[in-house]
Amino acid sequence: MGMSDQPENKPLSPEVVTGDARPEAVSNDREESKAVVSTDEPPAVLFVIPHDELVLFPGMMVPVMLEAGRAQATIEHAHNQTPFIGVLKKREGGAGAGAEGLYEVGTAARMLKQIKLPDGNAAVVVQALRRFRVERWVKTAPVLIARVAYLVDSYEASVEVEALWKALERSLQEFIKINPHLPDEMGMVALNIEGPARLADFVGANFGMKPADRQELLETLDVKKRLSLALEFLTRELEVVKIGNKIQEDIRTRVEKTQRDYFLREQLKTIRRELGEEKDERSASIERYEQRIVDAKLPDAAEKHAREELRRLSTLPPEAAEYNVIRTYLDWILALPWSVSTAESDDIRAAARMLDEDHYGLEDIKTRVLEFLSVRELRPSLKGSILCFSGPPGTGKTSLGRSIARAMGRKFYRFSLGGMRDEAEIKGHRRTYIGAMPGKLLQALKEVGANNPVLMLDEIDKLGKDWRGDPSSAMLEVLDPEQNASFLDHYLDIPFDLSKVFFIATANYREEIPAPLLDRMEVIDFRSYIADEKVHIATKFLVPKQLEANGLKPGRLSFPSPTLRKIITGYTREAGCRGLEREIAAVCRKTAAAIVAGKRPLRVVRASDLERHLGPPKAGEEISTRIKRPGIAVGLAWTPAGGDVMLIEASRVKGKGNLKLTGKLGDVMNESAQIAMTYVRSVAAECGIPDAAFGESDIHVHFPAGAVPKDGPSAGVAITTCLLSLLWGGKGRRVRAGIAMTGEMTLRGDVLAVGGIREKVIAAKMAGMKAVIIPRFNVKDVKEIPAHVVRGLKFHPVDHYREVVKLAF
């Protein structure tokens, strides 16, 4: 009958033990029964306890934890019949607790004592006796019973076995000695173990082998191999313990030194405090901050905020993360010049003299600065002024700002806004961010150490804008005299008075400045320099500067006025003086190289020497010589680099009356060409232009240079003249040589005013033009040009294009 038919607490009879065995085993029931009840040697049939981790070695005496269920039932059944049990380890990943999930090699053990635990589990103290291998399973339910065969070690005395045995003994003694977790008595136990096999089992049983490695050692019957496995494991563990001890010793040494230094410092601080020589660092730091708050003479709101932060700081330990954040914040508050101002100059004559010394010309700008100083003297409480210098590159906007600061007796600071896209660059970051700091404005004030500097905001027309914010919108508060008296930086979070700051912004294109921002500034236009002004600037400023920069003594090299004029007209085409300075620097470098090489350098650079030093002239020939056939007119244009002369060409081919425009034109200039074509068609009969000229021809108008972008309405008169010249009388009529023109056209032929007259007239003069056609409204602009500049140039003011026809053809 099956095992399940027996009461759970009834001893198993021999018949029950073999009830599910194979038929050929039935004849051995009596022998199995005798083996089961034996009390001297472990029998051939054993009750088996499976275990997840435990691997027993012969000679071990250990408690075995028994889980509720099969393990405890097995012990109950075995206790009624025999003191012997078998212990088998479960395979890794084995299925359940059945026989198929167990290793085949285990250990027979004698039960010495059973222990009941409070949590319902139980334990049994066993003494391991012999290795066995399972031959077959007699029972698998409800408990495990197996017929086993006991294993015998394979041992052959040899020199190699003796050497392994001794090496294992030495390693074991050393391991016990250096391992602080093992008692010294274990060394004596190891010395009393007889035989190499027992010694290898002792290592596997006591020194933390992994369960899989212990099972391998248990299954190894060859004593030589077992010794080798135990020695390999112990050598590896010995090295790990040595390294761990070394690391622990290093850490202990460092900790002891740190603690020793700490105690010594604390004792020294205590001694000094007792002597009244020094306070502890934390208290001294708090007192220093209190004194700095008093010395800073902060406004009421700022002082209240600073004292609140100092109170928080005094309650925090120096190790706290927020401690350094508060310290940095307090340092910023106390470093700003809340009440520090530089003494200003009230000598208007001295200021005018300084401005004249640093810059030639620019009379409008100098007059505005002197006016500001005069008003400031009469009314000291005047709020800070906000100017915007707008004009081409190289005309002295930035350098004039520095001169203004010197003339006013104020400190100067400049930072560029070009390409700035983050609003936090202006108004700072919130203190909640890691690495937060104030914006550029407060950084500048901390740098100069005064609350009334001249602050130059360079390239304000090149402010960017993206997902991080709009810096131009952040500048609205900064550049508004009604708001900047209480400017709020995100990091500081306390209103700061910027009304004493003299702001100067610079821009190349005033059209690129946002309208709300432009409305807050007084714009002063910087015009391009004429040739005479450039000659004077080069003689007084640029030549001495480059002589010093290139190591040449004053007077070692001179540039006569004709030479400088030749450089201006033949090698540069610009509104400012940067290109001129580069060409002067090139001549100075060649002179310095000649001196170092031992050659005889020039002392006076003449116009005839320039080609040898600078190469062929870079500017083109006089444009008046290129007007030799119909369909060509000379227009005048304004560019960021100053005025320019623009040659407009037109050609007619067979087609269907289309108008083609080339030369990288903008929308406004395309519209000007369309207006000009419409007007020409409206006066075709008066000019003898046949209808076939429009219906059977395509007209192509080109604006050199083709790679330079062009836009604006001021070329309308020149385009109309170019088209009339091409189509007049059906065969064309050449435009009078030496005449240039500018003006906006309407569909009815009216000529409207345009800008940039000064720059355009100067360009016409430099290009060799003899006459200039301008809108009558722009006559006032011509009067502002110095007479010696326009000498030899005739002006023809017009209101309607019919007047242009009489002058141009």
Side-chain angles (χ1 to χ4, degrees), residues 97-166:
E100 67 279 1
L102 303 176
Y103 282 102
E104 296 177 352
V105 175
T107 308
R110 184 193 301 273
M111 294 186 293
L112 301 178
K113 185 179 180 180
Q114 285 184 272
I115 303 172
K116 294 289 186 179
L117 300 177
D119 59 359
N121 291 328
V124 59
V125 180
V126 301
Q127 180 184 9
L129 300 174
R130 299 180 63 184
R131 289 174 170 83
F132 68 77
R133 184 185 302 277
V134 175
E135 290 188 333
R136 63 185 177 86
W137 290 99
V138 176
K139 278 291 184 181
T140 58
V143 296
L144 297 174
I145 303 177
R147 173 171 287 279
V148 301
Y150 292 97
L151 306 176
V152 179
D153 292 339
S154 172
Y155 176 71
E156 181 179 353
S158 66
V159 175
E160 189 173 358
V161 171
E162 185 75 16
L164 286 170
W165 185 8
K166 297 301 181 184

Side-chain angles (χ1 to χ4, degrees), residues 51-338:
H51 204 283
D52 291 329
E53 302 290 340
L54 182 62
V55 177
L56 293 179
F57 288 91
M60 292 178 63
M61 186 178 295
V62 295
V64 180
M65 297 298 299
L66 303 174
E67 298 178 357
R70 173 177 287 185
Q72 293 190 21
T74 301
I75 292 299
E76 292 294 334
H77 287 302
H79 182 71
N80 295 328
Q81 301 186 46
T82 177
F84 299 103
I85 59 172
V87 179
L88 285 176
K89 182 186 177 303
K90 294 180 183 179
R91 294 181 184 274
E92 291 77 5
E100 67 279 1
L102 303 176
Y103 282 102
E104 296 177 352
V105 175
T107 308
R110 184 193 301 273
M111 294 186 293
L112 301 178
K113 185 179 180 180
Q114 285 184 272
I115 303 172
K116 294 289 186 179
L117 300 177
D119 59 359
N121 291 328
V124 59
V125 180
V126 301
Q127 180 184 9
L129 300 174
R130 299 180 63 184
R131 289 174 170 83
F132 68 77
R133 184 185 302 277
V134 175
E135 290 188 333
R136 63 185 177 86
W137 290 99
V138 176
K139 278 291 184 181
T140 58
V143 296
L144 297 174
I145 303 177
R147 173 171 287 279
V148 301
Y150 292 97
L151 306 176
V152 179
D153 292 339
S154 172
Y155 176 71
E156 181 179 353
S158 66
V159 175
E160 189 173 358
V161 171
E162 185 75 16
L164 286 170
W165 185 8
K166 297 301 181 184
L168 185 59
E169 283 184 334
R170 289 194 299 272
S171 297
L172 184 57
Q173 292 300 323
E174 183 180 4
F175 183 78
I176 294 172
K177 182 179 180 180
I178 68 173
N179 195 324
H181 304 293
L182 297 178
D184 295 336
E185 292 78 7
M186 186 170 283
M188 296 299 298
V189 174
L191 289 174
N192 293 323
I193 294 175
E194 297 181 358
R198 285 295 182 92
L199 186 63
D201 287 347
F202 181 76
V203 171
N206 293 285
F207 298 105
M209 268 191 177
K210 294 179 181 179
D213 295 336
R214 296 176 72 178
Q215 181 67 32
E216 181 183 2
L217 193 68
L218 180 69
E219 294 179 359
T220 303
L221 302 180
D222 185 348
V223 175
K224 176 182 174 182
K225 185 176 180 183
R226 194 188 303 172
L227 285 169
S228 180
L229 288 173
L231 182 60
E232 179 182 351
F233 163 76
L234 200 58
T235 302
R236 185 171 62 250
E237 290 298 307
L238 187 62
E239 189 66 25
V240 170
V241 172
K242 285 181 179 178
I243 295 173
N245 288 345
K246 183 178 183 302
I247 293 172
Q248 190 172 7
E249 180 64 22
D250 292 343
I251 294 174
R252 185 184 65 79
T253 302
R254 289 198 298 270
V255 170
E256 286 180 354
K257 183 180 184 303
T258 302
Q259 289 178 339
R260 177 177 176 274
D261 292 347
Y262 174 76
F263 287 129
L264 288 175
R265 289 193 186 96
E266 290 300 314
Q267 289 174 0
L268 184 60
K269 290 177 183 178
T270 302
I271 293 170
R272 286 180 174 175
R273 279 199 300 271
E274 291 295 328
L275 294 175
E277 295 179 357
E278 184 182 348
K279 299 181 179 179
D280 65 275
E281 181 60 30
R282 185 162 174 270
S283 298
S285 176
I286 299 299
E287 287 192 6
R288 285 196 298 269
Y289 276 116
E290 288 178 348
Q291 186 59 44
R292 288 177 63 187
I293 291 174
V294 173
D295 295 340
K297 298 179 181 179
L298 305 176
D300 293 342
E303 182 175 355
K304 179 180 178 182
H305 204 76
R307 292 195 179 279
E308 177 64 24
E309 292 296 323
L310 184 60
R311 187 192 62 77
R312 291 180 57 203
L313 185 70
S314 63
T315 62
L316 291 174
E319 298 79 14
E322 196 176 358
Y323 185 83
N324 286 326
V325 174
I326 296 177
R327 283 195 60 173
T328 304
Y329 180 71
L330 282 172
D331 287 338
W332 267 106
I333 291 179
L334 299 175
L336 291 173
W338 297 89

Side-chain angles (χ1 to χ4, degrees), residues 678-795:
T678 301
Y679 179 76
V680 170
R681 296 186 71 166
S682 69
V683 298
E686 300 177 29
C687 299
I689 303 174
D691 292 340
F694 300 105
E696 300 175 3
S697 303
D698 286 345
I699 298 175
H700 185 172
V701 181
H702 178 61
F703 299 78
V708 179
K710 308 170 190 69
D711 203 5
S714 62
V717 171
I719 298 172
T720 306
T721 304
C722 178
L723 293 173
L724 273 180
S725 173
L726 176 70
L727 302 173
W728 194 291
K731 296 182 179 180
R733 185 175 177 182
R734 190 164 62 88
V735 177
R736 184 178 299 167
I739 190 167
M741 56 199 74
T742 183
E744 180 180 355
M745 280 285 295
T746 68
L747 290 174
R748 297 182 178 276
D750 295 325
V751 179
L752 305 182
V754 293
I757 290 295
R758 185 176 187 270
E759 287 77 13
K760 292 175 181 178
V761 169
I762 293 172
K765 179 67 181 294
M766 294 180 65
M769 295 290 105
K770 303 299 181 183
V772 178
I773 299 174
I774 61 171
R776 191 174 302 278
F777 186 82
N778 291 118
V779 171
K780 58 181 178 60
D781 298 313
V782 176
K783 293 179 180 179
E784 296 179 1
I785 306 173
H788 68 276
V789 175
V790 297
R791 188 177 293 118
L793 196 61
K794 191 172 182 179
F795 294 93

